[in-house]
Every structure is written in structure tokens, then in C-alpha cells.
Amino acid sequence: MSTTPRPTADPTPYDALLLFSFGGPNKPEDVVPFLRNVTAGKGIPDSRLEEVGEHYYAFGGKSPINDQNLALKAAIEAELAARGIELPVVWGNRNWEPYTDDAVTELEALGAERAVALVTSAYSSYSGCRQYREDLAVTLQQRGQLDENGSTGVQFDKIRSYFNHPGFVQANVEAVLDGYAALEEKSGSPADAKLVFVTHSIPDTMEAASRISQATYSTQHLDVAAVIAARVAEARGHEVSWELAYCSRSGPPTQPWLEPDVNDLLTERAGEGLRDVVMAPIGFISDHMEVAYDLDTEAMETATELGMTAVRAGTVGTRPAFVAGLVDLLLERAAKARGEDVDEATVGTLPPFRSVCEVDCCLRRDGEPSGVPALCSRDVNR
């Protein structure tokens, strides 16, 4: 782990933090309208959305993501207060209430002039970074607050993708070790238990487009997974066999997405004799629907049918190492905004990712400019 000293507790020039997330329904009648937002422009009929919504209806029509964002917001506020930092935290979502526009309105009511955005995705890709920056830019454009230099209202910067920040990595190490402890309670001491890291799959063309960010989406995961596995092995005193798998694939079968699917991987490894597994959802920062359904429901059912003993490790959630790391990242970004030399803490082999993105960074499709402005990039930036 990096020994970089903790950043100075000075958030200037920022006068607010935007906790920027995906959003999710709060009750059954929210489900289809929420899914309309998520799939806007794709022409998907409501009948199909009702089918997709069954995942939400099985959990009472409420996504866990909203409560988890509120918990993370409270944890960040507590960490800021513990360091003597006075900085309001505002929560906004791309796809459900409170929307991005609601968050900007709240920031204006607070008198904020320059805010820093923290996206609740640790990795760099279209869906994990650029789509949030586009949403923020389009929201400002619709409010008449965007020109070629950026926002004419509240100014926005962003915190870099943080998959390789020490806080995120340490919190995942702790979660995986807890997972192994839970597995041992279920099946004794399986020294040969497989560690399967899991993340959200994306289309192959989106994967290719993500390379401009400094490393592709899959490479980011493989790099951080190697670090986590090595630390887990050190803590457990023996080598840990690991692989990366994907979940939550959608879209037509003819469109290639990143593989292997976690269920396919479990099936293949069971055929080779694997009997114990820890699944670690390193692609997610909290236990939202992709974790609750795709892993806790589908993948666990697959493991049971295969005769495996399986445990799902926790996400980083509000673990202290993760929350402290987020505040460190905020302060690091503030120091950069002040023009100071900053030692950006990282682990693994990849460099710190950019806080000001390249002009066509992380497009939806490789080589196809979207024509949509994206804030915090060199084409829309003061």
C-alpha cells in the first residue's frame, strides 16, 4: 500500500461535494418509469420493461441503492466532520429522484459556486464515467447554463476513477477476508477455495473505447483483482486461485459482451472439481440490484445446483477505509485545482487516472463520437 501522507484537510476551491449515482425505484409503481429512464432512446416497449422489472418486484419494487447512497452520504459527512472540514454533500442521480437537475438546484440554493463530483462507480468506462459527465453537461445545457467553456452556473470538477486507490483496495481486501471466514464456517477450512471477482459486463465495443482512459475496463479490474488476491493470500498464508467473471449482461444475443458470465464460470469449474468459492463483487461499491439479484439470487442458486459451497463477499459500502479514501480523493482533487503538486496515491501497476478527461474518452461505441457534451473534459472545460 502507498505510504503517501494523508492530504491537507483543505477542500478549497470547492464549496460542495456532489455524490453522483445511478438511482433506483423506491416502490413498485416507480419501476417501469425508472426503466424508461435507463433505456431512453432504445425504443423498448413497456411490456418488455415489465418483464425486466420482475427483478425489482421480487424485492418489493424497491432498489437497495437509494438507502445505500444515503448511508454513504452520511458516512462521508461524518468523515469530513471528523477532519474538521465543513463541506455540504448533495446527492443526485442520473435515472431517478433526486435527479441531476434536483442536485444542481440544491447546490445553487446552498450558494455553491464550484463543486466536485464523486461518481459511485470506481472504474473508467462509458457507463461508469462518461455517461455521468454527459448527463451533467446535458442537464446544465437544458438549464441554459452551459457554453463551450463549461458551466455558466455552478462550476464542476470530478474526482478521478478510484479503483486503484488504496482505500478502495483495502476495503475490498477486508471484505474478501470476511468472505473466506464465512466460508470456513460453512465448510470447514477449504484452502483450495476459488476467489471469483465479479463485475458488470459491458459490450465489447464499449470495452475497446475505454482504452483511451489509460487502460481498458477489463484491464482495470484485472489489475486491482491481482492486488486484492495477493493481499488476501498474504493474510491467509497461502496462494489464492482467482478469476474475473461478469454479470448483468443485457442487449441482443448477437452483440458481444465481456465474458465469462459468472454462472458459466461456476458451471465450468464445478465440472473440473471445484467445490468451494468466494464471489467478490469488486465492480460495485454497494449491494445494489445487480448484486442482490445477479449474485445473491442467480449465482448462489447456480452454485447450490452444482453442489458448491459458496459465499458472496461484501462490497466496500461504508467500510472506514473506503470512506476515508473518498475524502482523501476529494482533498487530492482540491489540491490539484489549487495548482499544487500532488502525489496521487495508487496501488497496482496502473497510473492514477485523469480528473480531466480526454475529448472522446470512453465513448459508448469505439470510434463513434457521440456528439453529446461531457463535462470535466478538455472539450467542455474552463
Side-chain angles (χ1 to χ4, degrees):
M1 180 181 294
S2 171
T3 58
T4 304
R6 178 154 285 175
T8 303
D10 180 4
T12 57
Y14 304 124
D15 45 23
L17 170 67
L18 171 61
L19 182 63
F20 201 12
S21 194
F22 189 84
N26 285 308
K27 52 188 182 297
E29 50 266 44
D30 293 345
V31 172
V32 170
F34 161 73
L35 292 173
R36 287 193 199 113
N37 291 339
V38 174
T39 62
K42 297 182 179 179
I44 300 176
D46 281 3
S47 58
R48 174 56 181 152
L49 298 181
E50 286 282 2
E51 294 176 16
V52 175
E54 289 300 326
H55 294 179
Y56 291 93
Y57 296 135
F59 289 84
K62 180 178 181 178
S63 170
I65 194 172
N66 294 323
D67 287 343
Q68 290 163 5
N69 278 325
L70 287 170
L72 180 58
K73 178 177 181 289
I76 292 171
E77 290 169 335
E79 179 69 16
L80 289 167
R83 299 197 200 185
I85 300 170
E86 294 185 9
L87 191 74
V89 181
V90 172
W91 169 42
N93 298 313
R94 280 186 14 231
N95 297 300
W96 201 246
E97 302 166 348
Y99 289 106
T100 308
D101 187 68
D102 299 323
V104 175
T105 298
E106 185 177 352
L107 288 166
E108 289 179 341
L110 290 168
E113 296 181 354
R114 189 171 179 183
V116 62
L118 169 63
V119 174
T120 57
S121 173
Y123 299 85
S124 185
S125 68
Y126 175 75
S127 56
C129 181
R130 185 181 180 91
Q131 196 168 15
Y132 286 91
R133 297 188 294 107
E134 288 183 351
D135 187 77
L136 190 52
V138 169
T139 296
L140 294 175
Q141 194 173 53
Q142 292 171 343
R143 295 169 66 97
Q145 297 176 335
L146 185 73
D147 61 25
E148 67 276 6
N149 296 312
S151 176
T152 59
V154 179
Q155 303 292 306
F156 287 95
D157 292 335
K158 79 175 184 75
I159 288 170
R160 63 179 165 99
S161 297
Y162 47 86
F163 69 93
N164 59 351
H165 187 271
F168 179 73
V169 171
Q170 179 58 31
N172 271 296
V173 170
E174 294 167 4
V176 171
L177 288 172
D178 288 347
Y180 270 100
L183 183 66
E184 288 174 354
E185 288 185 9
K186 293 178 70 173
S187 64
S189 301
D192 60 346
K194 169 81 75 173
L195 175 55
V196 176
F197 294 106
V198 187
T199 189
H200 202 303
S201 185
I202 61 173
D204 285 5
T205 186
M206 193 182 294
E207 156 79 356
S210 69
R211 67 184 183 277
I212 194 174
S213 68
Q214 291 171 272
T216 65
Y217 176 80
S218 63
T219 300
Q220 295 166 44
H221 284 81
L222 289 167
D223 198 70
V224 73
V227 175
I228 295 169
R231 292 189 181 176
V232 169
E234 182 179 5
R236 291 179 57 77
H238 58 76
E239 289 298 312
V240 171
S241 174
W242 66 272
E243 292 184 80
L244 176 66
Y246 299 89
C247 69
S248 309
R249 187 203 190 287
S250 60
T254 54
Q255 183 182 43
W257 282 54
L258 293 178
E259 297 177 338
D261 176 81
V262 61
N263 297 283
D264 294 338
L265 179 66
L266 292 177
T267 301
E268 184 173 342
R269 295 295 171 264
E272 298 169 355
L274 182 65
R275 289 294 173 262
D276 299 285
V277 63
V278 173
M279 293 181 285
I282 59 168
F284 309 92
I285 72 163
S286 62
D287 296 4
H288 49 81
M289 190 56 69
E290 285 84 352
V291 176
Y293 183 81
D294 295 345
L295 295 187
D296 292 351
T297 304
E298 281 195 332
M300 291 300 285
E301 287 177 357
T302 296
T304 299
E305 291 169 0
L306 294 168
M308 286 182 167
T309 302
V311 166
R312 198 268 291 173
T315 47
V316 293
T318 57
R319 287 179 177 267
F322 176 55
V323 176
L326 292 180
V327 173
D328 287 347
L329 282 157
L330 182 161
L331 297 173
E332 169 200 287
R333 185 66 183 91
K336 290 188 71 175
R338 295 193 299 268
E340 299 174 10
D341 290 332
V342 179
D343 187 358
E344 298 172 283
T346 61
V347 294
T349 66
L350 296 177
F353 275 33
R354 306 178 187 97
S355 51
V356 178
C357 296
E358 293 299 323
V359 174
D360 286 328
C361 192
C362 291
L363 297 171
R364 181 193 293 270
R365 297 179 183 86
D366 189 29
E368 296 183 22
S370 64
V372 180
L375 222 60
C376 307
S377 60
R378 298 186 191 282
D379 50 340
V380 184
N381 204 68
R382 55 192 173 282

